[in-house]
Amino acid sequence: MPIGAQPPGRRGTVEEPYSPLNLRLILAAFGFVVCTVLGILLLRAGWTVPGWLLLAWAVVAAIDMVVVQLRRRARRRAERGRDHSLFE
């Protein structure tokens, strides 16, 4: 799957993106931190299955952060460095 400013075949345009990438990046970072901390706490408390599930979700959030950041870079290159607000 090519990672561009926006996935191919989506309805959005450069002027109106398909998803707010900055907001997605912040939410993924929040999910990463929360899942990592809670997963470690659950593992230390002896709850291994829920702890490993939360750590797996933390890995998914980290992957999402990488993909979103790559899409933000592609968007910045396509728009020649134009800044975006949190919801763009």
Side-chain angles (χ1 to χ4, degrees):
M1 177 175 126
I3 298 177
Q6 192 156 293
R10 301 293 180 169
R11 292 182 303 258
T13 63
V14 171
E15 293 82 24
E16 295 182 25
Y18 180 72
S19 68
L21 296 178
N22 296 338
L23 181 62
R24 272 187 60 191
L25 184 63
I26 290 172
L27 291 174
F30 176 77
F32 173 76
V33 170
V34 169
C35 288
T36 301
V37 169
L38 289 178
I40 291 171
L41 289 175
L42 285 174
L43 285 175
R44 294 181 122 206
W47 294 47
T48 56
V49 174
W52 284 113
L53 285 174
L54 280 173
L55 290 177
W57 281 337
V59 170
V60 170
I63 293 169
D64 190 36
M65 285 191 299
V66 169
V67 169
V68 169
Q69 184 61 29
L70 290 173
R71 287 182 58 198
R72 287 178 71 227
R73 274 190 186 167
R75 180 181 66 185
R76 182 169 289 142
R77 277 194 309 268
E79 296 178 352
R80 308 221 190 282
R82 182 176 151 230
D83 289 330
H84 290 274
S85 73
L86 179 62
F87 301 104
E88 292 183 274

